Amino acid sequence: MNGENEESKVLISKSILTGVAATIREREGSSALIKPVDFASHIASMSIGQQGAPVSSVTITNKASLTSIRPGFSAEIDVEITPPWEGWTYVCTSSDPSVVSVSPILNANGKYEITGVAESSTPVTITVTAGDFSDSFSVKCRDLFAPDLTKSFAEMTTEERTNISNIVKGGLASEFLSLGQSILVPYGSFVMPFEIVGFEDVVAQIDGAEQAVHALNLLAKYTDETGSQWGANGSVKYSASTLRSYMTTAYQGKLDANFVACLANTKKQTYSRDGSTDVVYDKISAPSMAQLGVTNATFNTAQQAAIEGAAFTAYQGAADAKRVKCAINATTTAQNYWTSSLYSGNSNYFGDVQTSGAPSSSIYYYTYRVVAACDFIA
């Protein structure tokens, strides 16, 4: 039949249709069935960008904040496509939608959302595809969330405090927290910021036995507002010193009880004048020269370094200025403070830190301030 309105008919084989559908799916990053009647709408949505330029790269720009998601919660995916053009069409898929799902369409902000479905220790891969390029990230579905450290520990809800505990217990602290951040702890009439200085496991005494546990290594940002002294004489060990007694009673007693309950009775080793290793298990202690990153052999001998252990992560290779501590009630004035290390060059001297942050030593009865180290375990 002939006529102006008659459609031209062309014989098309099934393999041709299959090839077209396969190409569309590849471009969209989809595996869904596409009917021939829908080819036109799918192709129309494949925008090619400015001046006909093809996609040259796809980047998910907020990967760092998408490493974990809670069941029942959602998060947006920020995508950057080059050349930049708001008309780009891209698709987002999940390797396991039963654990972390992806919204089938863009939300009101023009972004895909991931949603936690079920807890799993196995990471799920989320992939964004545009044109011939893609980018991806791994995310775990866990009932954990980034702590709000602008609140003091006393202001946090039970859920918030438990969340920090679960993060630490799970060995995940470095995923949710960063070196240099602080946990704000009520301390008498003040608030003491305990700075995160490491994420290293520690040996703790639990139910009378030593046990290796995940920990958040903390060091008070300021010194105590009162003074202390090292010991009764020059030969005293840290375990019997006035300094240790002060840390574990007066100092610890001023801290928020809920915070103290989360601290480990950490095994602390110090070098004694008779060459022996002095061991205590305390929740609060004075840091050693080694922990503060002092490598000067005058104040941290090879024997001391071997016994007192490695520096806090944040203090490894630290310059003197890193060790400066100000008084909590006079924060603009640097203070001298005691460490738990003895000074081997004089039988009556012990290690301290000067106002410049440089290591030094003083006679045992000097009244200096103190700064607390502790390990948060849950």
Side-chain angles (χ1 to χ4, degrees):
M1 296 178 61
N2 296 316
E4 293 181 0
N5 295 326
E6 183 180 358
E7 295 181 358
S8 299
K9 296 182 178 180
V10 179
L11 181 63
I12 300 178
S13 67
K14 181 179 179 180
S15 63
I16 292 176
L17 295 175
T18 301
V20 173
T23 300
I24 293 173
R25 281 193 292 269
E26 181 183 358
R27 291 283 179 173
E28 293 183 338
S30 171
S31 59
L33 177 68
I34 304 174
K35 297 179 180 180
V37 70
D38 295 324
F39 285 175
S41 62
H42 279 266
I43 293 172
S45 68
M46 293 181 186
S47 306
I48 59 174
Q50 294 176 330
Q51 300 178 353
V55 174
S56 60
S57 70
V58 176
T59 305
I60 300 167
T61 59
N62 63 332
K63 290 182 183 181
S65 64
L66 298 174
T67 58
S68 181
I69 191 164
R70 300 178 72 188
F73 287 75
S74 298
E76 293 181 338
I77 303 173
D78 294 331
V79 178
E80 186 177 278
I81 301 175
T82 53
W85 187 47
E86 64 182 9
W88 283 122
T89 297
Y90 63 99
V91 295
C92 186
T93 59
S94 168
S95 64
D96 192 345
S98 67
V99 175
V100 179
S101 65
V102 176
S103 57
I105 58 175
L106 301 177
N107 65 16
N109 296 324
K111 300 177 181 180
Y112 282 105
E113 292 182 348
I114 58 171
T115 300
V117 179
E119 277 199 82
S120 175
S121 59
T122 303
V124 173
T125 301
I126 305 298
T127 303
V128 170
T129 302
D132 295 327
F133 292 84
S134 65
D135 194 12
S136 61
F137 64 92
S138 293
V139 58
K140 290 182 179 179
C141 186
R142 299 174 294 206
D143 197 16
L144 300 170
F145 53 94
D148 180 2
L149 298 185
T150 62
K151 295 181 178 181
S152 78
F153 202 76
E155 293 171 335
M156 293 180 183
T157 64
T158 300
E159 181 190 27
E160 290 173 320
R161 291 196 294 263
T162 300
N163 173 60
I164 298 176
S165 295
N166 289 339
I167 286 171
V168 175
K169 281 195 296 187
L172 306 170
S174 60
E175 290 187 31
F176 290 87
L177 300 162
S178 302
L179 293 177
Q181 288 185 299
S182 293
I183 294 180
L184 305 176
V185 183
Y187 176 83
S189 59
F190 301 96
V191 173
M192 178 70 80
F194 275 85
E195 189 175 3
I196 299 172
V197 292
F199 306 103
E200 300 302 320
D201 294 353
V202 298
V203 174
Q205 189 178 59
I206 301 175
D207 295 329
E210 290 186 357
Q211 182 177 331
V213 292
H214 298 308
L216 195 60
N217 315 132
L218 302 174
L219 183 66
K221 189 172 182 178
Y222 300 120
T223 62
D224 184 20
E225 75 273 10
T226 59
S228 183
Q229 60 183 18
W230 214 97
N233 57 62
S235 61
V236 72
K237 298 180 179 181
Y238 177 72
S239 60
S241 67
T242 306
L243 174 61
R244 184 208 174 198
S245 175
Y246 181 86
M247 301 301 299
T248 57
T249 55
Y251 197 112
Q252 183 172 309
K254 295 177 186 177
L255 293 169
D256 177 79
N258 287 317
F259 175 75
V260 173
C262 294
L263 302 180
N265 278 307
T266 305
K267 181 179 182 179
K268 184 178 184 67
Q269 299 187 160
T270 52
Y271 181 69
S272 301
R273 294 202 189 279
D274 60 8
S276 64
T277 299
D278 191 27
V279 179
V280 295
Y281 299 90
D282 293 334
K283 290 190 172 186
I284 294 288
S285 64
S288 67
M289 287 287 196
Q291 287 177 311
L292 294 174
V294 174
T295 56
N296 186 322
T298 303
F299 302 102
N300 183 18
T301 67
Q303 295 92 332
Q304 285 176 283
I307 289 173
E308 297 179 2
F312 293 126
T313 303
Y315 281 75
Q316 291 175 4
D320 288 349
K322 178 75 175 180
R323 304 185 196 99
V324 172
K325 300 289 179 184
C326 299
I328 193 170
N329 60 340
T331 58
T332 59
T333 305
Q335 303 288 322
N336 286 55
Y337 57 93
W338 287 117
T339 72
S340 59
S341 300
L342 60 79
Y343 174 61
S344 61
N346 187 303
S347 61
N348 287 318
Y349 280 63
F350 296 87
D352 68 81
V353 175
Q354 295 182 316
T355 56
S356 65
S360 187
S361 60
S362 297
I363 198 164
Y364 61 87
Y365 54 71
Y366 277 10
T367 299
Y368 282 161
R369 295 177 185 264
V370 295
V371 60
C374 57
D375 294 295
F376 187 106
I377 62 169

